[in-house]
Amino acid sequence: MSIAIIGAGIAGLSAARELADAGQSVQLFDKSRGSGGRMASKRSEAGSLDLGAQYFTARDRRFAAAVHHWQNLGWVAEWLPRLYQADQHGLSPSLDEQQRWIGTPRMSALTRGLLGELPATFGCRITEVFRGEQHWSLLDADGGSHGPFDQVVVATPAPQASTLLSSAPTLAAIAAGVLMEPTWAVALGFDEPLDSEVDGCFVKEGALSWFARNRSKPGREQALDTWALHASSAWSRRNLDLSKDQVAEQLRGAFAELIGCPVPAARFSLAHRWLYARPAQSHEWSALADTDLGLYACGDWCLSGRVEGAWLSGQEAARRLLDNL
Ligand code: FAD
Ligand code: NAI
């Protein structure tokens, strides 16, 4: 079987690994320059920055087993942050018993590990997935054509998946009905470490939803003291078209009000807009499939909207495909 997988985020790679391990021939396609999607790490003059997923939890038994395997391979490590929360009463410690994981030395190490030597074409945005008499073909944004393939797995965020699933109108309609919320993310780098105990902070109201100190995570060695700030969905939606400079300035201001120590001018600042950051609600589809056609869809939007959900969804797409061979 030759199987095309569109999207090399954690969902697509989860499916790809499972299928390759079962002896199938897979070919990944991704519009970005590398793997990882929303788990990618951005290279910058301040070092590698985790601007998307900050950490992940493992509540499902199968995912927890996979995480321990990755830990043994050195791809992930446990993060033990001094956690805080910020609410109407201000900033307060908010420790808990939850185990949290990160890719090491950067978030993208996990997806790079999963990718390994799997065949992948990057910088290739697939615009159309169509079925001929017996096989599938893919068209890309540069007019290139790829195929033939026996089966196709679409592993992109739902709004991008709906057009790629048009050969299976029922699946396309389900994906089209998923609302995904944006998130503005900002990285700030300071010459001198901020005089703060906070490693990570859940913000319960206002412009921000989260901020974290990069160097509190294992394996991050950076000259600057870099911080990741995430705006809330509501703020991101309201300010979707603000310029990057304005977003960086406004979120820096919100951060300075919360962190409880002097915040000097940042030496480094970068803003990134995630248009499809998270599904507005969780679903329980696991994965979508038209087994007669040989067309499958997976991604965080099929489950919990988290790294764990994305990985489980990829596993489920692969399982259904293999069951149908
Ligand atoms: P993606 O990672 O989005 O992968 C989809 C891939 O498809 C991308 O690489 C994209 O380039 C590619 N693609 C899209 N369209 C096409 C096309 N037409 N052709 C080719 N390729 C295409 N989760 C947690 O568990 N913990 C967190 O702390 C956390 N924080 C987050 C913070 C932010 C700011 C964001 C944005 C997300 C966060 N998440 C977090 C969510 C987590 O990152 C996602 O649930 C997970 O990474 C989704 O994986 P995925 O494979 O489903 O999708
Ligand atoms: P988790 O269990 O650490 O957090 C889940 C939620 O519980 C948090 O968002 C927070 O509101 C609350 N919480 C947890 N521990 C807390 C503590 N010690 N003090 C105060 N509040 C606490 O992780 P889980 O369930 O794996 O979720 C992943 C994280 O990823 C969440 O924080 C979620 O908001 C975030 N995420 C962000 C996205 C974005 O676009 N910004 C997209 C998807 C997930």
Side-chain angles (χ1 to χ4, degrees):
M1 279 287 156
S2 70
I3 303 164
I5 301 179
I6 307 168
I10 186 81
L13 286 165
S14 163
R17 268 280 145 229
E18 196 65 15
L19 292 167
D21 289 350
Q24 306 302 326
S25 157
V26 299
Q27 171 76 41
L28 285 144
F29 297 89
D30 202 293
K31 67 182 171 64
S32 299
R33 275 183 298 169
S35 62
R38 280 168 279 162
M39 290 185 85
S41 308
K42 189 163 181 71
R43 288 186 199 281
S44 78
E45 64 200 65
S48 182
L49 302 166
D50 302 337
L51 281 181
Q54 296 290 294
Y55 64 84
F56 51 92
T57 56
R59 300 190 172 106
D60 178 275
R61 185 181 41 79
R62 291 159 296 170
F63 187 57
V67 171
H68 282 112
H69 177 58
W70 300 333
Q71 183 185 25
N72 290 335
L73 292 169
W75 299 347
V76 304
E78 195 177 349
W79 182 37
L80 296 162
R82 288 170 299 188
L83 277 179
Y84 281 68
Q85 75 167 12
D87 56 21
Q88 72 273 27
H89 307 298
L91 193 67
S92 56
S94 189
L95 297 177
D96 61 28
E97 300 290 312
Q98 181 64 55
Q99 207 171 20
R100 295 181 172 83
W101 298 94
I102 54 156
T104 184
R106 57 188 72 89
M107 196 49 115
S108 59
L110 170 55
T111 51
R112 290 289 187 280
L114 289 172
L115 177 64
E117 301 296 315
L118 291 176
T121 309
F122 290 108
C124 179
R125 187 160 70 83
I126 302 300
T127 50
E128 210 179 314
V129 177
F130 65 94
R131 196 171 165 82
E133 296 251 312
Q134 295 196 325
H135 293 103
W136 290 100
S137 295
L138 314 183
L139 287 186
D140 69 36
D142 295 325
S145 144
H146 309 267
F149 297 103
D150 297 303
Q151 318 255 343
V152 176
V153 179
V154 176
T156 68
Q160 291 153 330
S162 65
T163 42
L164 302 177
L165 292 168
S166 60
S167 300
T170 313
L171 305 196
I174 295 172
V178 175
L179 179 67
M180 293 196 71
E181 298 275 14
T183 295
W184 270 111
V186 163
L188 298 177
F190 302 97
D191 283 321
E192 295 296 324
L194 297 188
D195 184 15
S196 168
E197 291 273 297
V198 178
D199 292 332
C201 180
F202 296 101
V203 186
K204 304 292 181 180
E205 56 183 32
L208 291 172
S209 64
W210 166 258
F211 55 85
R213 180 175 235 154
N214 222 20
R215 57 164 71 151
S216 68
K217 298 180 176 178
R220 273 68 173 169
E221 280 164 25
Q222 292 173 346
L224 298 183
D225 181 24
T226 57
W227 292 72
L229 324 180
H230 285 167
S232 67
S233 298
W235 191 93
S236 302
R237 218 182 311 115
R238 274 200 311 278
N239 295 286
L240 204 56
D241 296 319
L242 225 53
S243 73
K244 289 187 173 180
D245 285 348
Q246 285 174 307
V247 169
E249 191 45 42
Q250 293 200 23
L251 295 187
R252 181 197 171 283
F255 173 66
E257 275 180 27
L258 291 174
I259 186 73
C261 70
V263 177
R267 157 68 71 98
F268 169 88
S269 147
L270 181 152
H272 180 84
R273 186 180 71 173
W274 297 98
L275 209 45
Y276 305 127
R278 60 160 104 207
Q281 63 189 80
S282 289
H283 300 99
E284 291 188 1
W285 301 319
S286 289
L288 307 182
D290 185 323
T291 48
D292 292 338
L293 280 176
L295 187 59
Y296 299 80
C298 59
D300 65 338
W301 52 276
C302 291
L303 279 167
S304 66
R306 300 182 295 119
V307 169
E308 178 178 49
W311 183 84
L312 287 167
S313 178
Q315 293 286 293
E316 178 64 10
R319 188 190 66 76
R320 294 190 67 175
L321 192 157
L322 292 169
D323 282 353
N324 202 49
L325 292 184

